[in-house]
Amino acid sequence: MARFLIVEARFYDHLNDMLVDGARSALEAAGHEVEVLTVPGALEIPGAIAMASDSGQFDAFVAIGVVIRGETYHFEIVAGESARGIMALTMDGVAIGNGIITVENEEQALARADKTRKDKGGEAAKAAIALLDLRKKFG
Ligand SMILES: Nc1c(NC[C@H](O)[C@H](O)[C@H](O)CO)[nH]c(=O)[nH]c1=O
Ligand SMILES: CC(=O)[C@@H](O)COP(=O)(O)O
């Protein structure tokens, strides 16, 4: 059993509830402990994971968020920079699954948040488990 922290950017409550449910279901099915931390938006996720990782209280992390394109370039910043921050932490050895969905509209988001459809929350949780297993394998 390992200690997982789900760091969710709660920008769209109903979509986050679905994604967190998928991630939690996957983690608990694998026998792991799960806590959830909420931050304002996807741009805050990498920093929150860095702080939580430095605390030593958790073994792995799942990033959960929803970024829906609006009228401006901000979509590219939020989507790209949250992914870049998570990738930088992963390359530094932090086991993180990225469940931040970046979509054009609500319909696309619903399909990906629903654990009975594309289950991106569960997918991210399984990726985090896989990275944690690799870290244990390589020491
Ligand atoms: N537009 C979305 C955001 N924007 C907020 C940023 O993530 C950030 O919280 C803000 O710029 C303050 O630093 N966040 C999402 O998660 N999803 C969006 O669609
Ligand atoms: C992804 C976003 O930042 C988006 O929700 C913001 O919308 P807008 O670009 O219309 O300000």
PDB file of all heavy atoms in Angstrom, residues 11-12 67-68 70-72 74-75 78, ligand 2:
ATOM      1  N   PHE A  11     -12.074  23.762 -11.030  1.00  0.00           N
ATOM      2  CA  PHE A  11     -12.579  24.842 -11.868  1.00  0.00           C
ATOM      3  C   PHE A  11     -14.002  24.553 -12.334  1.00  0.00           C
ATOM      4  O   PHE A  11     -14.780  25.472 -12.579  1.00  0.00           O
ATOM      5  CB  PHE A  11     -11.649  25.027 -13.074  1.00  0.00           C
ATOM      6  CG  PHE A  11     -11.458  26.449 -13.469  1.00  0.00           C
ATOM      7  CD1 PHE A  11     -10.686  27.308 -12.717  1.00  0.00           C
ATOM      8  CD2 PHE A  11     -12.083  26.951 -14.604  1.00  0.00           C
ATOM      9  CE1 PHE A  11     -10.520  28.636 -13.083  1.00  0.00           C
ATOM     10  CE2 PHE A  11     -11.935  28.278 -14.977  1.00  0.00           C
ATOM     11  CZ  PHE A  11     -11.157  29.113 -14.212  1.00  0.00           C
ATOM     12  N   TYR A  12     -14.330  23.295 -12.498  1.00  0.00           N
ATOM     13  CA  TYR A  12     -15.673  22.858 -12.902  1.00  0.00           C
ATOM     14  C   TYR A  12     -16.094  21.732 -11.961  1.00  0.00           C
ATOM     15  O   TYR A  12     -15.672  20.575 -12.136  1.00  0.00           O
ATOM     16  CB  TYR A  12     -15.688  22.357 -14.336  1.00  0.00           C
ATOM     17  CG  TYR A  12     -15.232  23.389 -15.353  1.00  0.00           C
ATOM     18  CD1 TYR A  12     -13.908  23.438 -15.788  1.00  0.00           C
ATOM     19  CD2 TYR A  12     -16.139  24.301 -15.882  1.00  0.00           C
ATOM     20  CE1 TYR A  12     -13.493  24.376 -16.712  1.00  0.00           C
ATOM     21  CE2 TYR A  12     -15.726  25.251 -16.813  1.00  0.00           C
ATOM     22  CZ  TYR A  12     -14.403  25.278 -17.226  1.00  0.00           C
ATOM     23  OH  TYR A  12     -13.994  26.210 -18.153  1.00  0.00           O
ATOM     24  N   VAL A  67      -9.442  21.918 -18.354  1.00  0.00           N
ATOM     25  CA  VAL A  67      -9.141  23.180 -19.026  1.00  0.00           C
ATOM     26  C   VAL A  67      -9.952  23.198 -20.313  1.00  0.00           C
ATOM     27  O   VAL A  67      -9.736  22.365 -21.194  1.00  0.00           O
ATOM     28  CB  VAL A  67      -7.642  23.313 -19.328  1.00  0.00           C
ATOM     29  CG1 VAL A  67      -7.329  24.712 -19.848  1.00  0.00           C
ATOM     30  CG2 VAL A  67      -6.810  23.036 -18.077  1.00  0.00           C
ATOM     31  N   ILE A  68     -10.914  24.110 -20.385  1.00  0.00           N
ATOM     32  CA  ILE A  68     -11.785  24.210 -21.561  1.00  0.00           C
ATOM     33  C   ILE A  68     -11.447  25.498 -22.304  1.00  0.00           C
ATOM     34  O   ILE A  68     -11.415  26.575 -21.704  1.00  0.00           O
ATOM     35  CB  ILE A  68     -13.271  24.207 -21.160  1.00  0.00           C
ATOM     36  CG1 ILE A  68     -13.617  22.913 -20.411  1.00  0.00           C
ATOM     37  CG2 ILE A  68     -14.158  24.370 -22.397  1.00  0.00           C
ATOM     38  CD1 ILE A  68     -15.052  22.834 -19.921  1.00  0.00           C
ATOM     39  N   GLY A  70     -11.301  28.883 -24.110  1.00  0.00           N
ATOM     40  CA  GLY A  70     -12.174  30.061 -24.123  1.00  0.00           C
ATOM     41  C   GLY A  70     -11.875  30.912 -25.344  1.00  0.00           C
ATOM     42  O   GLY A  70     -11.587  30.365 -26.425  1.00  0.00           O
ATOM     43  N   GLU A  71     -11.886  32.217 -25.167  1.00  0.00           N
ATOM     44  CA  GLU A  71     -11.719  33.138 -26.296  1.00  0.00           C
ATOM     45  C   GLU A  71     -10.271  33.545 -26.528  1.00  0.00           C
ATOM     46  O   GLU A  71      -9.946  34.091 -27.588  1.00  0.00           O
ATOM     47  CB  GLU A  71     -12.555  34.404 -26.032  1.00  0.00           C
ATOM     48  CG  GLU A  71     -14.047  34.161 -25.926  1.00  0.00           C
ATOM     49  CD  GLU A  71     -14.774  35.428 -25.495  1.00  0.00           C
ATOM     50  OE1 GLU A  71     -14.093  36.403 -25.090  1.00  0.00           O
ATOM     51  OE2 GLU A  71     -16.008  35.461 -25.576  1.00  0.00           O
ATOM     52  N   THR A  72      -9.414  33.334 -25.552  1.00  0.00           N
ATOM     53  CA  THR A  72      -8.066  33.920 -25.644  1.00  0.00           C
ATOM     54  C   THR A  72      -6.972  32.857 -25.603  1.00  0.00           C
ATOM     55  O   THR A  72      -7.243  31.668 -25.461  1.00  0.00           O
ATOM     56  CB  THR A  72      -7.835  34.888 -24.452  1.00  0.00           C
ATOM     57  OG1 THR A  72      -7.714  34.098 -23.255  1.00  0.00           O
ATOM     58  CG2 THR A  72      -8.955  35.892 -24.324  1.00  0.00           C
ATOM     59  N   HIS A  74      -5.160  32.231 -23.313  1.00  0.00           N
ATOM     60  CA  HIS A  74      -4.966  31.704 -21.960  1.00  0.00           C
ATOM     61  C   HIS A  74      -5.078  30.179 -21.889  1.00  0.00           C
ATOM     62  O   HIS A  74      -4.411  29.538 -21.085  1.00  0.00           O
ATOM     63  CB  HIS A  74      -5.970  32.359 -21.007  1.00  0.00           C
ATOM     64  CG  HIS A  74      -5.564  32.227 -19.573  1.00  0.00           C
ATOM     65  ND1 HIS A  74      -6.453  31.890 -18.581  1.00  0.00           N
ATOM     66  CD2 HIS A  74      -4.373  32.384 -18.962  1.00  0.00           C
ATOM     67  CE1 HIS A  74      -5.822  31.825 -17.425  1.00  0.00           C
ATOM     68  NE2 HIS A  74      -4.550  32.122 -17.623  1.00  0.00           N
ATOM     69  N   PHE A  75      -5.877  29.608 -22.771  1.00  0.00           N
ATOM     70  CA  PHE A  75      -6.003  28.143 -22.802  1.00  0.00           C
ATOM     71  C   PHE A  75      -4.637  27.497 -22.993  1.00  0.00           C
ATOM     72  O   PHE A  75      -4.257  26.565 -22.285  1.00  0.00           O
ATOM     73  CB  PHE A  75      -6.922  27.716 -23.949  1.00  0.00           C
ATOM     74  CG  PHE A  75      -6.971  26.224 -24.176  1.00  0.00           C
ATOM     75  CD1 PHE A  75      -7.856  25.426 -23.477  1.00  0.00           C
ATOM     76  CD2 PHE A  75      -6.117  25.616 -25.091  1.00  0.00           C
ATOM     77  CE1 PHE A  75      -7.910  24.055 -23.676  1.00  0.00           C
ATOM     78  CE2 PHE A  75      -6.157  24.240 -25.294  1.00  0.00           C
ATOM     79  CZ  PHE A  75      -7.046  23.466 -24.587  1.00  0.00           C
ATOM     80  N   VAL A  78      -2.534  27.825 -19.761  1.00  0.00           N
ATOM     81  CA  VAL A  78      -2.969  26.966 -18.662  1.00  0.00           C
ATOM     82  C   VAL A  78      -2.713  25.498 -18.989  1.00  0.00           C
ATOM     83  O   VAL A  78      -2.151  24.752 -18.192  1.00  0.00           O
ATOM     84  CB  VAL A  78      -4.452  27.197 -18.345  1.00  0.00           C
ATOM     85  CG1 VAL A  78      -4.924  26.232 -17.265  1.00  0.00           C
ATOM     86  CG2 VAL A  78      -4.689  28.634 -17.900  1.00  0.00           C
TER      87      VAL A  78
HETATM   88  C1  LIG B   2      -8.718  27.951 -20.403  1.00  0.00           C
HETATM   89  C2  LIG B   2      -9.040  29.309 -19.996  1.00  0.00           C
HETATM   90  O1  LIG B   2      -8.206  30.056 -19.536  1.00  0.00           O
HETATM   91  C3  LIG B   2     -10.398  29.789 -20.285  1.00  0.00           C
HETATM   92  O2  LIG B   2     -11.321  29.179 -19.434  1.00  0.00           O
HETATM   93  C4  LIG B   2     -10.439  31.288 -20.090  1.00  0.00           C
HETATM   94  O3  LIG B   2     -11.340  31.751 -21.027  1.00  0.00           O
HETATM   95  P1  LIG B   2     -10.983  33.039 -21.899  1.00  0.00           P
HETATM   96  O4  LIG B   2      -9.812  32.661 -22.782  1.00  0.00           O
HETATM   97  O5  LIG B   2     -12.248  33.302 -22.693  1.00  0.00           O
HETATM   98  O6  LIG B   2     -10.645  34.156 -20.924  1.00  0.00           O
END
